[in-house]
Amino acid sequence: MVAIASQEEVERRRIVGVNKETVTDVTSTDFPGHHPGEDHSWSLAKFKEGFHVKFHDVPDPLNCSFSLIGVDASIANAFRRILLAEIPTLAIEFVFVHNNTSIIQDEVLAHRLGLVPLKGGKEGLHWLKWFQKPTEEDPDGSPPRDNNTVVMKLAVECTRNEEAEKGETDPAKLYHNSNVYASALTYVPSGRQPEHFPTPADHIAPVNPDILLAKLRPGQEINLEAHCIKGIGADHAKFSPVATASYRLLPAIKLKQPILGSDAEKFARCFPKGVIGLAPLTLSESALPEHAGHPPGTPRAVVRDPFRDTVSRECLRHEEFAGKVELGRVRDHFIFQIESTGQFDADDLFVEAVKVLRVKCERLRRGLGTMVR
């Protein structure tokens, strides 16, 4: 006979305990054989019933926050690692320096250029193919073509400003082009690229045009050509589509005993603003045994929004709260935070991560099929 755990027991197993100096129940137990008599075999129907995705309102398209509910930590971490290292983006890879008389060495300038985030039309970015670098097995690699390489040029020369006032000391007013910014990079379309990057808004350009690349003085100039190719963050951090991609478990706060009066106000101060609220005792509540001695209107601590909590454990340091509160985290509720570098919207990046994981699963399934045969 298959045993069925109570709802209270199921909820208890979902919580990772956060104590004063330790963390308990950190491993999942919902797998076959762990709880005698209980059926924890995986089924698609059960997964669909417990799986949810909830997006949180973030007005910035480059920032995304959502909750992934009902999955194992291994799946959530797979998405995080894919976001960091396996979604292809476009970045400067080769720099051909024709003339550089600035004080910045060619290698340093090329490195700075490679780290400049680029943006462009999404349809064109998906149209671009992979550029194959030369290897020992393939010394020739693939030649630069319109469908695997985007060309950008930078040509800046510093000259004196003849109209500058006498005694002026600000280089920006004394000289023309004293600072070289990312906005000086210009896109040079070739072949079929105008079809896939048709409008100025679709052209390849720096996400932030105000990134400082170099400083020049009269007589100095920079003239170079940069080739952009697709790559992934596992090869170099410049190809990572995110500035950060992280997740945290949803905090859980359980009040085991009432916290009233001045203790309630102190308890609320132990948490970030908005996590704990104060509600006045009603006439019927003040008559309960656990509220004895507290008249109606006495402030009582209530959990308002555990989502905002940082689980600092501050409340566990105070003796008056000992045994009255339990802290924890919900083990299968992951709150993701994605910050895009600008080439794609943050929402789109998670969809791309799902596609990458699906391709990996298909590859594994084909591999297992080959082993069986």
Side-chain angles (χ1 to χ4, degrees):
M1 182 177 179
V2 177
I4 300 177
S6 65
Q7 186 62 32
E8 182 180 356
E9 175 64 14
V10 170
E11 291 300 321
R12 185 195 67 79
R13 294 173 185 173
R14 293 183 65 205
I15 302 300
V16 177
V18 178
N19 309 311
K20 187 174 182 179
E21 296 180 353
T22 61
V23 179
T24 56
D25 302 322
V26 296
T27 57
S28 300
T29 60
D30 54 345
F31 52 84
H34 186 86
H35 299 284
E38 296 184 18
D39 180 19
H40 286 283
S41 58
W42 192 89
S43 71
L44 183 59
K46 188 187 299 183
F47 174 76
K48 287 182 177 180
E49 182 181 352
F51 178 69
H52 304 283
V53 179
K54 179 182 178 182
F55 280 85
H56 311 297
D57 292 334
V58 180
D60 186 359
L62 299 184
N63 288 277
C64 172
S65 179
F66 61 92
S67 290
L68 207 60
I69 307 168
V71 297
D72 189 75
S74 59
I75 303 299
N77 196 47
F79 285 131
R80 183 190 67 85
R81 292 175 66 92
I82 291 171
L83 284 164
L84 289 170
E86 297 189 52
I87 296 179
T89 62
L90 189 73
I92 294 175
E93 177 71 3
F94 304 106
V95 178
F96 302 93
V97 180
H98 304 309
N99 192 13
N100 175 23
T101 56
S102 70
I103 63 171
I104 298 183
Q105 299 93 332
D106 294 353
E107 296 83 355
V108 177
L109 179 60
H111 183 259
R112 292 177 67 84
L113 288 168
L115 295 176
V116 174
L118 302 176
K119 64 178 181 179
K122 294 182 176 60
E123 189 275 333
L125 291 171
H126 289 301
W127 168 73
L128 290 173
K129 308 301 181 183
W130 293 93
F131 177 89
Q132 299 296 331
K133 293 183 179 180
T135 61
E136 293 182 359
E137 295 79 11
D138 183 12
D140 297 328
S142 60
R145 296 190 179 94
D146 59 348
N147 66 346
N148 65 14
T149 302
V150 174
V151 177
M152 303 188 78
K153 288 189 176 182
L154 175 64
V156 180
E157 182 180 2
C158 181
T159 58
R160 291 187 181 275
N161 181 11
E162 302 298 339
E163 298 179 0
E165 296 182 3
K166 186 176 181 180
E168 181 63 63
T169 58
D170 185 359
K173 298 178 180 179
L174 276 175
Y175 317 120
H176 297 295
N177 300 324
S178 61
N179 292 335
V180 181
Y181 295 101
S183 57
L185 284 166
T186 57
Y187 162 64
V188 182
S190 62
R192 293 165 292 171
Q193 290 178 3
E195 302 173 14
H196 298 278
F197 302 98
T199 66
D202 294 324
H203 290 176
I204 303 300
V207 173
N208 186 346
D210 297 326
I211 297 175
L212 182 65
L213 299 178
K215 292 192 174 187
L216 301 178
R217 289 300 178 262
Q220 296 179 342
E221 68 171 306
I222 296 176
N223 189 341
L224 57 84
E225 182 176 295
H227 288 191
C228 315
I229 66 172
K230 291 177 73 170
I232 58 175
D235 293 334
H236 195 287
K238 67 184 178 184
F239 291 114
S240 180
V242 296
T244 181
S246 61
Y247 62 77
R248 61 188 178 98
L249 295 177
L250 177 70
I253 306 169
K254 181 180 179 181
L255 299 179
K256 301 175 67 177
Q257 298 179 26
I259 302 176
L260 307 166
S262 59
D263 283 352
E265 297 174 355
K266 181 178 180 179
F267 185 74
R269 292 195 296 270
C270 292
F271 295 84
K273 188 176 180 179
V275 175
I276 301 296
L278 299 177
L281 281 179
T282 63
L283 182 62
S284 58
E285 289 174 339
S286 63
L288 296 175
E290 59 265 28
H291 298 154
H294 296 279
T298 301
R300 173 173 60 93
V302 293
V303 180
R304 294 285 192 206
D305 188 4
F307 183 90
R308 300 184 180 186
D309 190 24
T310 58
V311 194
S312 65
R313 314 186 197 191
E314 172 65 19
C315 62
L316 302 181
R317 296 176 56 248
H318 303 279
E319 294 182 0
E320 56 265 50
F321 305 136
K324 295 183 178 181
V325 60
E326 281 185 358
L327 301 181
R329 289 184 181 272
V330 183
R331 73 169 72 254
D332 63 349
H333 188 136
F334 300 89
I335 304 171
F336 270 81
Q337 186 73 36
I338 301 174
E339 181 182 343
S340 171
T341 57
Q343 195 161 125
F344 299 100
D345 290 346
D347 292 353
D348 295 337
L349 287 175
F350 181 69
V351 175
E352 291 298 320
V354 173
K355 292 179 181 177
V356 172
L357 184 59
R358 182 173 181 175
V359 170
K360 286 174 172 281
C361 293
E362 291 290 345
R363 188 182 301 127
L364 176 61
R365 186 168 68 173
R366 289 196 302 269
L368 289 175
T370 303
M371 290 176 60
V372 171
R373 290 195 298 270

